Amino acid sequence: MGLITKPFDASKYLDSDEAIEEFLAAAFEEGDPALIAQCVGVVARARNMSQLARDAGMSRSALYKALSGDGNPEFASIMKILDALGVKLSAKLVAKTEDAANHAAA
């Protein structure tokens, strides 16, 4: 008999505010907009997509499309979704490396 596998769904493991915070922080550290949208979608599934759509003032289908990772949601939409999730973004300056500074000057 062959190996039986099931699709992995990270939303099933996001069962605390701390887990969600760490999950989103890791996504933001990567800096890939599609990955960030997809990870926000995972959090949305963990928190109840239908309720989130109502809280964000969006249709459920629009929410799924925006957070699929294939879509290209507007920043305002992402901000509305994060607000509905109770997530606050903050900015942090990072020191540029010498190589990056030299590259930018060239």
Side-chain angles (χ1 to χ4, degrees):
M1 176 172 220
L3 179 65
I4 298 173
T5 62
K6 295 180 183 178
F8 177 76
D9 184 359
S11 69
K12 295 180 185 207
Y13 301 94
L14 298 177
D15 54 2
S16 70
D17 290 344
E18 293 80 17
I20 290 170
E21 186 175 336
E22 289 296 320
F23 183 73
L24 289 176
F28 279 101
E29 284 179 15
E30 288 297 318
D32 177 5
L35 176 65
I36 292 168
Q38 188 174 20
C39 289
V40 171
V42 170
V43 173
R45 285 196 316 277
R47 287 277 179 97
N48 185 326
M49 189 71 84
S50 296
Q51 183 62 48
L52 179 63
R54 287 190 290 276
D55 292 346
M58 300 173 73
S59 71
R60 191 169 176 223
S61 62
L63 190 60
Y64 271 110
K65 182 179 178 184
L67 300 177
S68 70
D70 295 327
N72 190 15
E74 291 185 14
F75 187 68
S77 297
I78 292 293
M79 291 302 294
K80 282 184 358 182
I81 295 164
L82 291 175
D83 185 55
L85 286 169
V87 174
K88 179 181 176 186
L89 296 181
S90 62
K92 177 178 154 182
L93 289 176
V94 294
K96 291 184 178 181
T97 63
E98 188 174 333
D99 289 339
N102 288 338
H103 180 64

